């Protein structure tokens, strides 16, 4: 009986070791424990105050999606097996196998067919990183430092601005980019800050290329980089900057018209109130004058009123004549 238990333990131990080695070789490693330990270490710098639960959930959600969709989890540029292969096979694995869909869908950015024989696509392939944005999440705000280009796999990103003179959360989205589109390439390629707000309208899945990584790739391929930068600038001006600037100017003009209208209405009300009071005061004075005046004095009062009316009519005629000469 003891022999049977020992034999069973030996078999099970070897079986578990085989599964563990298989997972390690295939890259199926549960990194959740390592992530938890890392987050726990952060509490050392906050007097053991734990991270907020909402932040923990965000971090966990980010890495869960990243690990499940990272095609480079089991391969890198320094991989011994990859480097032992001929150049043509390495290119086939990276460009035609692992990332063929990306290079085809976003061929407008990569100029895929034109650059298919260059090392450019092979180098770029090692930079793709999966990302996911929640509904209504602000991806980039105005004047943010843009660190990544986003190639949209699924979902919608809107581009807009805050309506001037209104609350900060009053965002007007003008342009919308959906599946197989890409955004922020102009900012990354030309090292610019965001001019507008980029917001996810619903859960949006993308792949990203980081600015630091692209800077290194562009340094190796200056001619290709120059063309991509020029195309991204032209595309950005036509599709985003020009139409959004037009909408922003229109919003400001409409806001100014509304503000001016309100000011005019307020002034009209003030003037009407003052004139009404003046008329009432004048009527009161007239009543007192008529009640207390003698006959000769009444003639003088009426004479002054007639002269005043004549002066106003003459001034009115003069204004009409001047207006007709303009």
């Amino acid at each position: 009986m003891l022999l049977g238990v020992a034999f069973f333990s030996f078999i099970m131990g070897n079986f578990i070791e085989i599964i563990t080695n298989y997972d390690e070789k295939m890259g199926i490693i549960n990194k959740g424990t390592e992530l938890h330990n890392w987050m726990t270490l952060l509490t050392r710098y906050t007097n053991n105050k734990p991270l907020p639960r909402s932040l923990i959930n965000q971090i966990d959600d980010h890495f869960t999606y990243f690990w499940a969709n990272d095609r480079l989890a089991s391969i890198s540029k320094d991989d011994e097996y990859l480097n032992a292969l001929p150049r043509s096979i390495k290119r086939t694995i990276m460009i035609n196998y692992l990332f063929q869909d990306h290079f085809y869908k976003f061929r407008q950015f990569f100029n895929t067919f034109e650059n298919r024989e260059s090392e450019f696509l092979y180098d770029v392939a090692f930079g793709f990183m999966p990302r996911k944005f929640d509904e209504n999440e602000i991806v980039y705000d105005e004047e943010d430092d843009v660190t990544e280009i986003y190639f949209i796999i699924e979902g919608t990103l809107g581009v807009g601005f805050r309506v001037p003179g209104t609350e900060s959360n009053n965002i007007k989205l003008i342009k919308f980019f959906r599946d197989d589109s890409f955004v922020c390439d102009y900012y990354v390629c030309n090292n610019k800050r965001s001019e507008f707000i980029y917001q996810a309208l619903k859960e949006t899945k993308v792949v990203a290329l980081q600015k630091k990584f692209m800077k290194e790739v562009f340094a190796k391929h200056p001619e290709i980089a120059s063309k991509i930068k020029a195309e991204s600038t032209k595309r950005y001006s036509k599709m985003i900057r020009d139409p959004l600037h037009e909408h922003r100017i229109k919003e400001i003009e409409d806001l100014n018209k509304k503000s001016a209208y309100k000011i005019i209405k307020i002034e009209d009300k003030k003037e009407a109130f003052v004139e009404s009071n003046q008329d009432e005061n004048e009527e009161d004075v007239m009543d007192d004058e008529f009640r207390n005046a003698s006959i000769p004095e009444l003639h003088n009062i009426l004479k002054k009123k007639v002269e005043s009316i004549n002066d106003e009519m003459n001034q009115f005629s003069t204004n009409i004549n001047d207006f007709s000469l303009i």
Side-chain angles (χ1 to χ4, degrees):
M1 183 177 178
L2 291 175
L3 183 62
V5 172
F7 181 74
F8 177 78
S9 300
F10 174 78
I11 296 296
M12 287 302 297
N14 281 277
F15 181 70
I16 292 171
E17 185 179 356
I18 291 171
I19 292 176
T20 302
N21 290 335
Y22 175 81
D23 287 346
E24 290 178 354
K25 293 296 182 182
M26 296 303 293
I28 310 171
I29 304 173
N30 182 7
K31 298 181 181 180
T33 302
E34 296 178 13
L35 178 62
H36 177 75
N37 292 338
W38 174 76
M39 288 191 287
T40 301
L41 286 173
L42 294 179
T43 62
R44 290 184 178 181
Y45 306 101
T46 58
N47 295 322
N48 294 321
K49 180 182 178 181
L51 291 171
R53 174 52 57 183
S54 59
L55 181 58
I56 291 175
N57 291 338
Q58 289 177 9
I59 295 173
D60 184 66
D61 185 52
H62 167 81
F63 281 105
T64 298
Y65 179 81
F66 181 87
W67 291 328
N69 295 275
D70 183 18
R71 301 184 188 182
L72 296 170
S74 300
I75 194 171
S76 69
K77 227 173 184 182
D78 299 325
D79 188 279
E80 59 176 322
Y81 296 109
L82 182 67
N83 289 329
L85 294 171
R87 176 177 175 273
S88 59
I89 297 179
K90 289 194 294 185
R91 287 172 51 80
T92 299
I93 291 174
M94 299 303 299
I95 300 172
N96 299 329
Y97 177 65
L98 280 179
F99 298 107
Q100 182 183 28
D101 55 340
H102 293 353
F103 287 127
Y104 179 76
K105 288 179 180 178
F106 309 112
R107 57 191 179 277
Q108 188 178 8
F109 175 80
F110 296 111
N111 296 319
T112 303
F113 301 117
E114 181 181 338
N115 297 323
R116 62 182 179 273
E117 297 301 325
S118 169
E119 287 292 317
F120 173 71
L121 298 181
Y122 178 80
D123 291 334
V124 167
F126 289 97
F128 285 120
M129 304 179 74
R131 297 276 189 267
K132 179 169 67 71
F133 302 113
D134 295 328
E135 183 177 0
N136 296 324
E137 180 178 348
I138 300 294
V139 178
Y140 286 120
D141 207 333
E142 294 169 332
E143 295 301 322
D144 275 354
D145 181 28
V146 179
T147 58
E148 295 179 332
I149 306 173
Y150 295 121
F151 301 88
I152 303 173
I153 305 299
E154 179 184 328
T156 305
L157 290 179
V159 187
F161 50 83
R162 284 187 175 81
V163 179
T166 62
E167 296 180 1
S168 60
N169 60 351
N170 187 4
I171 299 173
K172 191 174 185 67
L173 298 177
I174 305 299
K175 300 289 289 185
F176 302 93
F177 296 87
R178 298 177 174 84
D179 303 8
D180 305 345
S181 302
F182 52 94
V183 295
C184 301
D185 51 306
Y186 166 75
Y187 303 132
V188 169
C189 292
N190 297 279
N191 195 27
K192 302 288 186 180
R193 289 183 175 272
S194 176
E195 293 185 79
F196 305 102
I197 296 172
Y198 292 76
Q199 183 178 22
L201 273 68
K202 55 183 179 180
E203 183 179 86
T204 302
K205 299 175 181 178
V206 305
V207 287
L209 288 175
Q210 294 185 323
K211 178 163 65 175
K212 181 180 179 181
F213 172 81
M214 290 304 297
K215 186 176 181 180
E216 295 174 355
V217 173
F218 282 161
K220 291 179 62 178
H221 308 277
E223 292 184 5
I224 294 176
S226 178
K227 184 173 182 179
I228 289 177
K229 290 178 182 179
E231 290 176 348
S232 70
T233 301
K234 182 178 179 181
R235 188 166 48 241
Y236 175 75
S237 296
K238 181 180 178 181
M239 297 180 65
I240 297 179
R241 177 188 282 154
D242 292 348
L244 263 71
H245 276 327
E246 289 179 8
H247 277 84
R248 179 180 271 164
I249 291 171
K250 188 176 184 303
E251 285 288 336
I252 294 173
E253 290 175 349
D254 291 344
L255 187 66
N256 289 338
K257 288 178 182 177
K258 291 177 182 178
S259 300
Y261 177 76
K262 289 179 181 178
I263 292 172
I264 291 171
K265 293 298 288 183
I266 292 171
E267 292 298 326
D268 288 345
K269 288 180 180 178
K270 286 181 178 178
E271 291 176 4
F273 178 75
V274 171
E275 289 174 0
S276 175
N277 287 339
Q278 288 176 345
D279 291 342
E280 290 177 0
N281 293 334
E282 288 175 0
E283 288 176 0
D284 292 340
V285 171
M286 287 292 292
D287 290 342
D288 292 339
E289 288 178 348
F290 275 107
R291 276 195 297 267
N292 300 324
S294 62
I295 297 298
E297 290 174 339
L298 285 175
H299 282 292
N300 289 331
I301 292 171
L302 291 173
K303 183 180 179 181
K304 289 179 180 179
K305 283 294 176 185
V306 170
E307 289 176 353
S308 176
I309 293 171
N310 286 332
D311 290 341
E312 290 180 1
M313 291 299 294
N314 290 333
Q315 183 63 42
F316 179 75
S317 298
T318 301
N319 291 339
I320 291 294
N321 291 331
D322 291 342
F323 180 76
S324 63
L325 295 174
I326 295 176

